[in-house]
Structure formats: C-alpha cells, structure tokens
Amino acid sequence: MAYDADNIFAKILRGDAPAFKVYEDDHSLAFMDVMPQADGHTLVIPKYPAENLHDVDPDALGATIRTVQTVAAAVKQAFEAPGIMIAQLNGPAAGQTVFHLHFHILPRFDGVEFRMHARDMEDFDKLEAFAERIRAAL
Ligand code: 5GP
C-alpha cells in the first residue's frame, strides 16, 4: 500500500489538523492520543512519510526511537507510572488503524486494565492538562 499523505497524522504534521503536542524536533513529533487507552497515552511519530516499520528510513527510525525514550521517561514521571508499555502496530491484521508509523507510550499500573483501542474520545481540557504535565516533566 502506498503512503497516503492525507492520513490524520500527516495532517497533524502539516498543521492541517490540531493536536495536543508534548514534544517536537526536526525529525519527530509527540502528541496525546485522542482516544486513549490509559491516562497519559502518548504517540510519537517520525516526520518521515512512512506507513509503518517496514518502509521507514533507518535514520528517521533512530531519531524517532530517541524521542520515544525521552518522552516515555517524561510520561513515566508525569503519571508516576510503575510501568510503561511501548506498542507499535504494522498492518491492519496487527490492528493498525492510522497509516503513518507511530509508537504508543502507555502508562501501566498493577491491576488497571486498558480502555478499548481507539474507541472513546477523551475530554480535550483533560488532554491539554495531561500534555502540560508531560511537557513539564521533559
Ligand atoms: P493504531 O491502531 O494505528 O496503532 O493507532 C492509532 C491511534 O491513533 C489510536 O490509538 C487512536 O486512538 C489514535 N487516533 C486516531 N485518530 C486520531 C486523531 O485524530 N488524533 C490523535 N491525536 N490520535 C488519533
């Protein structure tokens, strides 16, 4: 499947769609997931137009993973999470629903189940407050 430049994350990168941003550099962007599976659920994407792990430039991937490490530490601190899960899905069969490569950063707590994947829209004031907490921990 060819990369679709009109996917929602490409629109966020172009500034054509809004996002609750927590971090940005020349190669990557981190922002809140709007249908989070947990409080603090954050996404990191490369600016490189890759659909998934299989078609990303390795240097762009490296820069993106650096951002995942940085933002994951901030999410862990901001939400006092004992565990952080990183998830990354490739292809519809794996559950991928947005076709611009992204890494999920998910705070985890003993005994707390995830909410359903990409189902319920979060309150925007709450997302902005969460984004601010993460930015303050960076
Ligand atoms: P995937 O299923 O492709 O691994 O994950 C896509 C993620 O993007 C889901 O967790 C979903 O909640 C999130 N998502 C879908 N549309 C939007 C959007 O417009 N903005 C943001 N920030 N996240 C989105």
Side-chain angles (χ1 to χ4, degrees):
M1 195 160 87
Y3 179 79
D4 173 12
D6 279 330
N7 75 75
I8 184 62
F9 295 171
K11 288 181 180 171
I12 287 172
L13 281 173
R14 286 198 299 271
D16 292 343
F20 298 93
K21 296 182 182 181
V22 301
Y23 175 86
E24 182 166 16
D25 62 26
D26 288 347
H27 304 289
S28 61
L29 174 68
F31 53 97
M32 305 311 296
D33 195 300
V34 289
M35 291 169 278
Q37 292 185 255
D39 288 354
H41 184 170
T42 306
L43 301 170
V44 177
I45 66 174
K47 293 189 173 178
Y48 186 96
E51 186 181 317
N52 58 40
L53 189 72
H54 305 300
D55 64 354
V56 66
D57 172 81
D59 289 337
L61 177 63
T64 304
I65 286 292
R66 289 181 71 92
T67 299
V68 170
Q69 187 182 40
T70 300
V71 175
V75 170
K76 180 171 170 54
Q77 184 184 323
F79 288 85
E80 298 179 2
I84 291 287
M85 181 172 137
I86 306 298
Q88 191 274 311
L89 314 178
N90 299 285
Q96 185 177 8
T97 57
V98 176
F99 296 97
H100 181 110
L101 173 63
H102 53 280
F103 291 83
H104 298 261
I105 298 174
L106 293 145
R108 298 240 62 179
F109 297 84
D110 288 326
V112 177
E113 298 294 326
F114 277 158
R115 302 196 280 271
M116 284 293 288
H117 179 66
R119 192 183 65 183
D120 298 323
M121 188 72 78
E122 183 59 278
D123 176 79
F124 282 5
D125 289 341
K126 215 167 161 181
L127 286 178
E128 179 49 34
F130 288 162
E132 181 50 38
R133 264 162 75 174
I134 298 167
R135 288 193 292 263
L138 277 167

PDB file of all heavy atoms in Angstrom, residues 100-134:
ATOM      1  N   HIS A 100       0.380   6.052   9.307  1.00  0.00           N
ATOM      2  CA  HIS A 100       1.654   6.772   9.417  1.00  0.00           C
ATOM      3  C   HIS A 100       2.328   6.164  10.643  1.00  0.00           C
ATOM      4  O   HIS A 100       1.724   6.149  11.732  1.00  0.00           O
ATOM      5  CB  HIS A 100       1.424   8.279   9.592  1.00  0.00           C
ATOM      6  CG  HIS A 100       2.705   9.063   9.682  1.00  0.00           C
ATOM      7  ND1 HIS A 100       3.131   9.912   8.686  1.00  0.00           N
ATOM      8  CD2 HIS A 100       3.652   9.119  10.641  1.00  0.00           C
ATOM      9  CE1 HIS A 100       4.289  10.459   9.032  1.00  0.00           C
ATOM     10  NE2 HIS A 100       4.623   9.990  10.226  1.00  0.00           N
ATOM     11  N   LEU A 101       3.552   5.678  10.480  1.00  0.00           N
ATOM     12  CA  LEU A 101       4.263   4.988  11.566  1.00  0.00           C
ATOM     13  C   LEU A 101       4.141   5.748  12.885  1.00  0.00           C
ATOM     14  O   LEU A 101       4.356   6.968  12.929  1.00  0.00           O
ATOM     15  CB  LEU A 101       5.748   4.861  11.202  1.00  0.00           C
ATOM     16  CG  LEU A 101       6.671   4.313  12.291  1.00  0.00           C
ATOM     17  CD1 LEU A 101       6.309   2.884  12.663  1.00  0.00           C
ATOM     18  CD2 LEU A 101       8.128   4.402  11.837  1.00  0.00           C
ATOM     19  N   HIS A 102       3.775   5.033  13.950  1.00  0.00           N
ATOM     20  CA  HIS A 102       3.693   5.666  15.273  1.00  0.00           C
ATOM     21  C   HIS A 102       3.972   4.662  16.371  1.00  0.00           C
ATOM     22  O   HIS A 102       3.704   3.468  16.219  1.00  0.00           O
ATOM     23  CB  HIS A 102       2.324   6.325  15.494  1.00  0.00           C
ATOM     24  CG  HIS A 102       1.169   5.414  15.244  1.00  0.00           C
ATOM     25  ND1 HIS A 102       0.705   5.134  13.980  1.00  0.00           N
ATOM     26  CD2 HIS A 102       0.384   4.695  16.083  1.00  0.00           C
ATOM     27  CE1 HIS A 102      -0.307   4.300  14.049  1.00  0.00           C
ATOM     28  NE2 HIS A 102      -0.520   3.996  15.320  1.00  0.00           N
ATOM     29  N   PHE A 103       4.500   5.199  17.459  1.00  0.00           N
ATOM     30  CA  PHE A 103       4.766   4.408  18.651  1.00  0.00           C
ATOM     31  C   PHE A 103       3.830   4.888  19.748  1.00  0.00           C
ATOM     32  O   PHE A 103       3.732   6.090  20.014  1.00  0.00           O
ATOM     33  CB  PHE A 103       6.227   4.578  19.098  1.00  0.00           C
ATOM     34  CG  PHE A 103       7.198   3.944  18.148  1.00  0.00           C
ATOM     35  CD1 PHE A 103       7.619   4.626  17.010  1.00  0.00           C
ATOM     36  CD2 PHE A 103       7.672   2.663  18.365  1.00  0.00           C
ATOM     37  CE1 PHE A 103       8.498   4.038  16.119  1.00  0.00           C
ATOM     38  CE2 PHE A 103       8.552   2.060  17.475  1.00  0.00           C
ATOM     39  CZ  PHE A 103       8.962   2.753  16.350  1.00  0.00           C
ATOM     40  N   HIS A 104       3.149   3.944  20.389  1.00  0.00           N
ATOM     41  CA  HIS A 104       2.289   4.256  21.532  1.00  0.00           C
ATOM     42  C   HIS A 104       3.127   4.201  22.802  1.00  0.00           C
ATOM     43  O   HIS A 104       3.872   3.232  23.022  1.00  0.00           O
ATOM     44  CB  HIS A 104       1.182   3.202  21.675  1.00  0.00           C
ATOM     45  CG  HIS A 104       0.242   3.107  20.516  1.00  0.00           C
ATOM     46  ND1 HIS A 104      -0.998   3.708  20.508  1.00  0.00           N
ATOM     47  CD2 HIS A 104       0.343   2.470  19.324  1.00  0.00           C
ATOM     48  CE1 HIS A 104      -1.614   3.430  19.367  1.00  0.00           C
ATOM     49  NE2 HIS A 104      -0.817   2.681  18.638  1.00  0.00           N
ATOM     50  N   ILE A 105       2.988   5.215  23.658  1.00  0.00           N
ATOM     51  CA  ILE A 105       3.586   5.207  25.001  1.00  0.00           C
ATOM     52  C   ILE A 105       2.426   5.122  25.984  1.00  0.00           C
ATOM     53  O   ILE A 105       1.578   6.024  26.027  1.00  0.00           O
ATOM     54  CB  ILE A 105       4.419   6.479  25.252  1.00  0.00           C
ATOM     55  CG1 ILE A 105       5.582   6.550  24.262  1.00  0.00           C
ATOM     56  CG2 ILE A 105       4.930   6.502  26.704  1.00  0.00           C
ATOM     57  CD1 ILE A 105       6.368   7.853  24.335  1.00  0.00           C
ATOM     58  N   LEU A 106       2.396   4.020  26.752  1.00  0.00           N
ATOM     59  CA  LEU A 106       1.222   3.728  27.587  1.00  0.00           C
ATOM     60  C   LEU A 106       1.626   3.484  29.036  1.00  0.00           C
ATOM     61  O   LEU A 106       2.301   2.482  29.334  1.00  0.00           O
ATOM     62  CB  LEU A 106       0.530   2.477  27.038  1.00  0.00           C
ATOM     63  CG  LEU A 106      -0.117   2.651  25.659  1.00  0.00           C
ATOM     64  CD1 LEU A 106      -0.019   1.385  24.833  1.00  0.00           C
ATOM     65  CD2 LEU A 106      -1.566   3.075  25.821  1.00  0.00           C
ATOM     66  N   PRO A 107       1.227   4.389  29.951  1.00  0.00           N
ATOM     67  CA  PRO A 107       1.473   4.138  31.373  1.00  0.00           C
ATOM     68  C   PRO A 107       0.709   2.890  31.822  1.00  0.00           C
ATOM     69  O   PRO A 107      -0.433   2.666  31.411  1.00  0.00           O
ATOM     70  CB  PRO A 107       0.903   5.381  32.071  1.00  0.00           C
ATOM     71  CG  PRO A 107       0.813   6.418  31.014  1.00  0.00           C
ATOM     72  CD  PRO A 107       0.574   5.687  29.733  1.00  0.00           C
ATOM     73  N   ARG A 108       1.353   2.088  32.672  1.00  0.00           N
ATOM     74  CA  ARG A 108       0.712   0.869  33.180  1.00  0.00           C
ATOM     75  C   ARG A 108       0.813   0.802  34.693  1.00  0.00           C
ATOM     76  O   ARG A 108       1.851   1.152  35.274  1.00  0.00           O
ATOM     77  CB  ARG A 108       1.373  -0.381  32.585  1.00  0.00           C
ATOM     78  CG  ARG A 108       1.251  -0.465  31.082  1.00  0.00           C
ATOM     79  CD  ARG A 108       0.512  -1.691  30.595  1.00  0.00           C
ATOM     80  NE  ARG A 108      -0.860  -1.803  31.010  1.00  0.00           N
ATOM     81  CZ  ARG A 108      -1.660  -2.799  30.654  1.00  0.00           C
ATOM     82  NH1 ARG A 108      -1.200  -3.784  29.901  1.00  0.00           N
ATOM     83  NH2 ARG A 108      -2.910  -2.838  31.057  1.00  0.00           N
ATOM     84  N   PHE A 109      -0.267   0.353  35.296  1.00  0.00           N
ATOM     85  CA  PHE A 109      -0.358   0.210  36.753  1.00  0.00           C
ATOM     86  C   PHE A 109      -0.861  -1.194  37.060  1.00  0.00           C
ATOM     87  O   PHE A 109      -1.715  -1.718  36.335  1.00  0.00           O
ATOM     88  CB  PHE A 109      -1.337   1.241  37.330  1.00  0.00           C
ATOM     89  CG  PHE A 109      -0.894   2.669  37.112  1.00  0.00           C
ATOM     90  CD1 PHE A 109      -1.180   3.317  35.919  1.00  0.00           C
ATOM     91  CD2 PHE A 109      -0.191   3.351  38.094  1.00  0.00           C
ATOM     92  CE1 PHE A 109      -0.769   4.624  35.705  1.00  0.00           C
ATOM     93  CE2 PHE A 109       0.230   4.654  37.888  1.00  0.00           C
ATOM     94  CZ  PHE A 109      -0.056   5.291  36.682  1.00  0.00           C
ATOM     95  N   ASP A 110      -0.361  -1.768  38.132  1.00  0.00           N
ATOM     96  CA  ASP A 110      -0.805  -3.107  38.527  1.00  0.00           C
ATOM     97  C   ASP A 110      -2.324  -3.131  38.668  1.00  0.00           C
ATOM     98  O   ASP A 110      -2.903  -2.279  39.350  1.00  0.00           O
ATOM     99  CB  ASP A 110      -0.175  -3.509  39.865  1.00  0.00           C
ATOM    100  CG  ASP A 110       1.308  -3.804  39.695  1.00  0.00           C
ATOM    101  OD1 ASP A 110       1.693  -4.317  38.636  1.00  0.00           O
ATOM    102  OD2 ASP A 110       2.070  -3.501  40.637  1.00  0.00           O
ATOM    103  N   GLY A 111      -2.964  -4.084  38.011  1.00  0.00           N
ATOM    104  CA  GLY A 111      -4.397  -4.282  38.186  1.00  0.00           C
ATOM    105  C   GLY A 111      -5.284  -3.318  37.424  1.00  0.00           C
ATOM    106  O   GLY A 111      -6.504  -3.391  37.554  1.00  0.00           O
ATOM    107  N   VAL A 112      -4.700  -2.397  36.640  1.00  0.00           N
ATOM    108  CA  VAL A 112      -5.518  -1.444  35.871  1.00  0.00           C
ATOM    109  C   VAL A 112      -5.532  -1.889  34.409  1.00  0.00           C
ATOM    110  O   VAL A 112      -4.488  -1.935  33.749  1.00  0.00           O
ATOM    111  CB  VAL A 112      -4.975   0.000  35.997  1.00  0.00           C
ATOM    112  CG1 VAL A 112      -5.812   0.954  35.133  1.00  0.00           C
ATOM    113  CG2 VAL A 112      -4.957   0.439  37.453  1.00  0.00           C
ATOM    114  N   GLU A 113      -6.728  -2.211  33.914  1.00  0.00           N
ATOM    115  CA  GLU A 113      -6.875  -2.656  32.525  1.00  0.00           C
ATOM    116  C   GLU A 113      -6.860  -1.463  31.574  1.00  0.00           C
ATOM    117  O   GLU A 113      -7.264  -0.358  31.940  1.00  0.00           O
ATOM    118  CB  GLU A 113      -8.211  -3.404  32.356  1.00  0.00           C
ATOM    119  CG  GLU A 113      -8.330  -4.674  33.188  1.00  0.00           C
ATOM    120  CD  GLU A 113      -7.353  -5.753  32.746  1.00  0.00           C
ATOM    121  OE1 GLU A 113      -7.065  -5.838  31.538  1.00  0.00           O
ATOM    122  OE2 GLU A 113      -6.875  -6.492  33.629  1.00  0.00           O
ATOM    123  N   PHE A 114      -6.452  -1.706  30.338  1.00  0.00           N
ATOM    124  CA  PHE A 114      -6.559  -0.677  29.302  1.00  0.00           C
ATOM    125  C   PHE A 114      -8.009  -0.455  28.909  1.00  0.00           C
ATOM    126  O   PHE A 114      -8.820  -1.385  28.929  1.00  0.00           O
ATOM    127  CB  PHE A 114      -5.821  -1.123  28.035  1.00  0.00           C
ATOM    128  CG  PHE A 114      -4.337  -0.872  28.061  1.00  0.00           C
ATOM    129  CD1 PHE A 114      -3.508  -1.605  27.238  1.00  0.00           C
ATOM    130  CD2 PHE A 114      -3.777   0.106  28.856  1.00  0.00           C
ATOM    131  CE1 PHE A 114      -2.141  -1.389  27.232  1.00  0.00           C
ATOM    132  CE2 PHE A 114      -2.406   0.337  28.860  1.00  0.00           C
ATOM    133  CZ  PHE A 114      -1.592  -0.413  28.041  1.00  0.00           C
ATOM    134  N   ARG A 115      -8.325   0.773  28.474  1.00  0.00           N
ATOM    135  CA  ARG A 115      -9.606   1.026  27.817  1.00  0.00           C
ATOM    136  C   ARG A 115      -9.504   0.489  26.377  1.00  0.00           C
ATOM    137  O   ARG A 115      -8.415   0.193  25.898  1.00  0.00           O
ATOM    138  CB  ARG A 115      -9.899   2.532  27.840  1.00  0.00           C
ATOM    139  CG  ARG A 115      -9.926   3.084  29.276  1.00  0.00           C
ATOM    140  CD  ARG A 115     -10.581   4.443  29.352  1.00  0.00           C
ATOM    141  NE  ARG A 115      -9.721   5.540  28.955  1.00  0.00           N
ATOM    142  CZ  ARG A 115      -8.910   6.198  29.792  1.00  0.00           C
ATOM    143  NH1 ARG A 115      -8.830   5.876  31.087  1.00  0.00           N
ATOM    144  NH2 ARG A 115      -8.162   7.199  29.374  1.00  0.00           N
ATOM    145  N   MET A 116     -10.638   0.405  25.683  1.00  0.00           N
ATOM    146  CA  MET A 116     -10.652  -0.131  24.317  1.00  0.00           C
ATOM    147  C   MET A 116      -9.795   0.735  23.383  1.00  0.00           C
ATOM    148  O   MET A 116      -9.791   1.962  23.485  1.00  0.00           O
ATOM    149  CB  MET A 116     -12.084  -0.180  23.775  1.00  0.00           C
ATOM    150  CG  MET A 116     -12.911  -1.312  24.338  1.00  0.00           C
ATOM    151  SD  MET A 116     -12.326  -2.949  23.823  1.00  0.00           S
ATOM    152  CE  MET A 116     -12.811  -2.948  22.096  1.00  0.00           C
ATOM    153  N   HIS A 117      -9.136   0.082  22.453  1.00  0.00           N
ATOM    154  CA  HIS A 117      -8.278   0.736  21.466  1.00  0.00           C
ATOM    155  C   HIS A 117      -9.099   1.655  20.557  1.00  0.00           C
ATOM    156  O   HIS A 117     -10.072   1.216  19.951  1.00  0.00           O
ATOM    157  CB  HIS A 117      -7.614  -0.365  20.634  1.00  0.00           C
ATOM    158  CG  HIS A 117      -6.712   0.124  19.553  1.00  0.00           C
ATOM    159  ND1 HIS A 117      -5.552   0.797  19.797  1.00  0.00           N
ATOM    160  CD2 HIS A 117      -6.808   0.034  18.206  1.00  0.00           C
ATOM    161  CE1 HIS A 117      -4.963   1.096  18.660  1.00  0.00           C
ATOM    162  NE2 HIS A 117      -5.708   0.648  17.673  1.00  0.00           N
ATOM    163  N   ALA A 118      -8.699   2.936  20.506  1.00  0.00           N
ATOM    164  CA  ALA A 118      -9.252   3.892  19.540  1.00  0.00           C
ATOM    165  C   ALA A 118     -10.787   3.937  19.539  1.00  0.00           C
ATOM    166  O   ALA A 118     -11.411   3.950  18.487  1.00  0.00           O
ATOM    167  CB  ALA A 118      -8.734   3.576  18.134  1.00  0.00           C
ATOM    168  N   ARG A 119     -11.407   3.965  20.727  1.00  0.00           N
ATOM    169  CA  ARG A 119     -12.873   3.956  20.763  1.00  0.00           C
ATOM    170  C   ARG A 119     -13.468   5.255  21.312  1.00  0.00           C
ATOM    171  O   ARG A 119     -14.232   5.933  20.616  1.00  0.00           O
ATOM    172  CB  ARG A 119     -13.392   2.768  21.571  1.00  0.00           C
ATOM    173  CG  ARG A 119     -14.886   2.575  21.385  1.00  0.00           C
ATOM    174  CD  ARG A 119     -15.448   1.467  22.209  1.00  0.00           C
ATOM    175  NE  ARG A 119     -15.347   1.743  23.644  1.00  0.00           N
ATOM    176  CZ  ARG A 119     -15.721   0.893  24.578  1.00  0.00           C
ATOM    177  NH1 ARG A 119     -16.195  -0.282  24.254  1.00  0.00           N
ATOM    178  NH2 ARG A 119     -15.615   1.201  25.855  1.00  0.00           N
ATOM    179  N   ASP A 120     -13.103   5.637  22.557  1.00  0.00           N
ATOM    180  CA  ASP A 120     -13.780   6.762  23.200  1.00  0.00           C
ATOM    181  C   ASP A 120     -12.912   8.019  23.184  1.00  0.00           C
ATOM    182  O   ASP A 120     -11.791   8.026  23.702  1.00  0.00           O
ATOM    183  CB  ASP A 120     -14.128   6.409  24.650  1.00  0.00           C
ATOM    184  CG  ASP A 120     -15.097   5.226  24.704  1.00  0.00           C
ATOM    185  OD1 ASP A 120     -15.972   5.161  23.817  1.00  0.00           O
ATOM    186  OD2 ASP A 120     -14.955   4.386  25.606  1.00  0.00           O
ATOM    187  N   MET A 121     -13.488   9.094  22.620  1.00  0.00           N
ATOM    188  CA  MET A 121     -12.790  10.383  22.558  1.00  0.00           C
ATOM    189  C   MET A 121     -12.645  10.956  23.970  1.00  0.00           C
ATOM    190  O   MET A 121     -13.615  11.004  24.723  1.00  0.00           O
ATOM    191  CB  MET A 121     -13.605  11.333  21.676  1.00  0.00           C
ATOM    192  CG  MET A 121     -12.925  12.631  21.353  1.00  0.00           C
ATOM    193  SD  MET A 121     -11.573  12.459  20.182  1.00  0.00           S
ATOM    194  CE  MET A 121     -12.444  12.324  18.639  1.00  0.00           C
ATOM    195  N   GLU A 122     -11.439  11.391  24.311  1.00  0.00           N
ATOM    196  CA  GLU A 122     -11.181  11.987  25.630  1.00  0.00           C
ATOM    197  C   GLU A 122     -11.589  13.462  25.635  1.00  0.00           C
ATOM    198  O   GLU A 122     -11.612  14.122  24.584  1.00  0.00           O
ATOM    199  CB  GLU A 122      -9.679  11.840  25.954  1.00  0.00           C
ATOM    200  CG  GLU A 122      -9.247  12.333  27.323  1.00  0.00           C
ATOM    201  CD  GLU A 122      -9.968  11.623  28.467  1.00  0.00           C
ATOM    202  OE1 GLU A 122     -11.122  12.029  28.773  1.00  0.00           O
ATOM    203  OE2 GLU A 122      -9.387  10.710  29.044  1.00  0.00           O
ATOM    204  N   ASP A 123     -11.920  13.963  26.806  1.00  0.00           N
ATOM    205  CA  ASP A 123     -12.204  15.378  27.004  1.00  0.00           C
ATOM    206  C   ASP A 123     -10.952  16.207  26.647  1.00  0.00           C
ATOM    207  O   ASP A 123      -9.852  15.901  27.122  1.00  0.00           O
ATOM    208  CB  ASP A 123     -12.584  15.573  28.483  1.00  0.00           C
ATOM    209  CG  ASP A 123     -12.793  17.030  28.813  1.00  0.00           C
ATOM    210  OD1 ASP A 123     -13.862  17.550  28.495  1.00  0.00           O
ATOM    211  OD2 ASP A 123     -11.866  17.651  29.390  1.00  0.00           O
ATOM    212  N   PHE A 124     -11.128  17.251  25.832  1.00  0.00           N
ATOM    213  CA  PHE A 124      -9.966  17.994  25.321  1.00  0.00           C
ATOM    214  C   PHE A 124      -9.254  18.784  26.426  1.00  0.00           C
ATOM    215  O   PHE A 124      -8.035  18.936  26.389  1.00  0.00           O
ATOM    216  CB  PHE A 124     -10.378  18.925  24.171  1.00  0.00           C
ATOM    217  CG  PHE A 124     -10.571  18.215  22.852  1.00  0.00           C
ATOM    218  CD1 PHE A 124     -10.475  16.818  22.756  1.00  0.00           C
ATOM    219  CD2 PHE A 124     -10.846  18.923  21.693  1.00  0.00           C
ATOM    220  CE1 PHE A 124     -10.645  16.149  21.540  1.00  0.00           C
ATOM    221  CE2 PHE A 124     -11.014  18.270  20.470  1.00  0.00           C
ATOM    222  CZ  PHE A 124     -10.916  16.887  20.395  1.00  0.00           C
ATOM    223  N   ASP A 125     -10.006  19.310  27.399  1.00  0.00           N
ATOM    224  CA  ASP A 125      -9.349  20.027  28.516  1.00  0.00           C
ATOM    225  C   ASP A 125      -8.437  19.074  29.291  1.00  0.00           C
ATOM    226  O   ASP A 125      -7.342  19.449  29.725  1.00  0.00           O
ATOM    227  CB  ASP A 125     -10.389  20.628  29.463  1.00  0.00           C
ATOM    228  CG  ASP A 125     -11.119  21.796  28.830  1.00  0.00           C
ATOM    229  OD1 ASP A 125     -10.595  22.362  27.848  1.00  0.00           O
ATOM    230  OD2 ASP A 125     -12.215  22.138  29.307  1.00  0.00           O
ATOM    231  N   LYS A 126      -8.916  17.847  29.449  1.00  0.00           N
ATOM    232  CA  LYS A 126      -8.124  16.845  30.154  1.00  0.00           C
ATOM    233  C   LYS A 126      -6.845  16.522  29.358  1.00  0.00           C
ATOM    234  O   LYS A 126      -5.753  16.438  29.924  1.00  0.00           O
ATOM    235  CB  LYS A 126      -8.977  15.575  30.312  1.00  0.00           C
ATOM    236  CG  LYS A 126      -8.752  14.813  31.587  1.00  0.00           C
ATOM    237  CD  LYS A 126      -9.879  13.794  31.730  1.00  0.00           C
ATOM    238  CE  LYS A 126      -9.493  12.717  32.701  1.00  0.00           C
ATOM    239  NZ  LYS A 126     -10.532  11.701  32.844  1.00  0.00           N
ATOM    240  N   LEU A 127      -6.994  16.384  28.041  1.00  0.00           N
ATOM    241  CA  LEU A 127      -5.820  16.074  27.212  1.00  0.00           C
ATOM    242  C   LEU A 127      -4.795  17.200  27.273  1.00  0.00           C
ATOM    243  O   LEU A 127      -3.590  16.948  27.326  1.00  0.00           O
ATOM    244  CB  LEU A 127      -6.243  15.820  25.760  1.00  0.00           C
ATOM    245  CG  LEU A 127      -6.943  14.491  25.493  1.00  0.00           C
ATOM    246  CD1 LEU A 127      -7.340  14.394  24.015  1.00  0.00           C
ATOM    247  CD2 LEU A 127      -6.058  13.300  25.870  1.00  0.00           C
ATOM    248  N   GLU A 128      -5.262  18.446  27.257  1.00  0.00           N
ATOM    249  CA  GLU A 128      -4.328  19.572  27.338  1.00  0.00           C
ATOM    250  C   GLU A 128      -3.627  19.579  28.703  1.00  0.00           C
ATOM    251  O   GLU A 128      -2.415  19.837  28.778  1.00  0.00           O
ATOM    252  CB  GLU A 128      -5.048  20.898  27.091  1.00  0.00           C
ATOM    253  CG  GLU A 128      -4.154  22.128  27.187  1.00  0.00           C
ATOM    254  CD  GLU A 128      -2.841  22.035  26.386  1.00  0.00           C
ATOM    255  OE1 GLU A 128      -2.816  21.413  25.306  1.00  0.00           O
ATOM    256  OE2 GLU A 128      -1.822  22.572  26.878  1.00  0.00           O
ATOM    257  N   ALA A 129      -4.374  19.277  29.766  1.00  0.00           N
ATOM    258  CA  ALA A 129      -3.755  19.214  31.102  1.00  0.00           C
ATOM    259  C   ALA A 129      -2.718  18.085  31.164  1.00  0.00           C
ATOM    260  O   ALA A 129      -1.629  18.264  31.737  1.00  0.00           O
ATOM    261  CB  ALA A 129      -4.833  19.008  32.162  1.00  0.00           C
ATOM    262  N   PHE A 130      -3.037  16.948  30.567  1.00  0.00           N
ATOM    263  CA  PHE A 130      -2.077  15.825  30.547  1.00  0.00           C
ATOM    264  C   PHE A 130      -0.827  16.219  29.739  1.00  0.00           C
ATOM    265  O   PHE A 130       0.300  15.916  30.139  1.00  0.00           O
ATOM    266  CB  PHE A 130      -2.705  14.577  29.931  1.00  0.00           C
ATOM    267  CG  PHE A 130      -3.740  13.902  30.795  1.00  0.00           C
ATOM    268  CD1 PHE A 130      -4.644  13.004  30.238  1.00  0.00           C
ATOM    269  CD2 PHE A 130      -3.803  14.132  32.162  1.00  0.00           C
ATOM    270  CE1 PHE A 130      -5.577  12.348  31.022  1.00  0.00           C
ATOM    271  CE2 PHE A 130      -4.749  13.489  32.960  1.00  0.00           C
ATOM    272  CZ  PHE A 130      -5.642  12.598  32.385  1.00  0.00           C
ATOM    273  N   ALA A 131      -1.049  16.867  28.589  1.00  0.00           N
ATOM    274  CA  ALA A 131       0.084  17.291  27.756  1.00  0.00           C
ATOM    275  C   ALA A 131       0.991  18.237  28.538  1.00  0.00           C
ATOM    276  O   ALA A 131       2.220  18.137  28.482  1.00  0.00           O
ATOM    277  CB  ALA A 131      -0.419  17.957  26.477  1.00  0.00           C
ATOM    278  N   GLU A 132       0.392  19.145  29.283  1.00  0.00           N
ATOM    279  CA  GLU A 132       1.175  20.100  30.069  1.00  0.00           C
ATOM    280  C   GLU A 132       1.989  19.382  31.151  1.00  0.00           C
ATOM    281  O   GLU A 132       3.148  19.729  31.407  1.00  0.00           O
ATOM    282  CB  GLU A 132       0.239  21.146  30.696  1.00  0.00           C
ATOM    283  CG  GLU A 132       0.955  22.213  31.517  1.00  0.00           C
ATOM    284  CD  GLU A 132       2.122  22.867  30.780  1.00  0.00           C
ATOM    285  OE1 GLU A 132       2.034  23.102  29.551  1.00  0.00           O
ATOM    286  OE2 GLU A 132       3.174  23.120  31.433  1.00  0.00           O
ATOM    287  N   ARG A 133       1.391  18.380  31.778  1.00  0.00           N
ATOM    288  CA  ARG A 133       2.115  17.594  32.790  1.00  0.00           C
ATOM    289  C   ARG A 133       3.336  16.920  32.191  1.00  0.00           C
ATOM    290  O   ARG A 133       4.411  16.879  32.796  1.00  0.00           O
ATOM    291  CB  ARG A 133       1.193  16.512  33.375  1.00  0.00           C
ATOM    292  CG  ARG A 133       0.533  16.944  34.666  1.00  0.00           C
ATOM    293  CD  ARG A 133      -0.656  16.086  34.981  1.00  0.00           C
ATOM    294  NE  ARG A 133      -0.317  14.754  35.469  1.00  0.00           N
ATOM    295  CZ  ARG A 133      -1.215  13.881  35.909  1.00  0.00           C
ATOM    296  NH1 ARG A 133      -2.506  14.226  35.935  1.00  0.00           N
ATOM    297  NH2 ARG A 133      -0.876  12.699  36.344  1.00  0.00           N
ATOM    298  N   ILE A 134       3.175  16.380  30.972  1.00  0.00           N
ATOM    299  CA  ILE A 134       4.302  15.695  30.317  1.00  0.00           C
ATOM    300  C   ILE A 134       5.358  16.707  29.892  1.00  0.00           C
ATOM    301  O   ILE A 134       6.560  16.502  30.106  1.00  0.00           O
ATOM    302  CB  ILE A 134       3.801  14.860  29.109  1.00  0.00           C
ATOM    303  CG1 ILE A 134       2.841  13.774  29.597  1.00  0.00           C
ATOM    304  CG2 ILE A 134       4.985  14.235  28.368  1.00  0.00           C
ATOM    305  CD1 ILE A 134       2.035  13.101  28.486  1.00  0.00           C
TER     306      ILE A 134
END
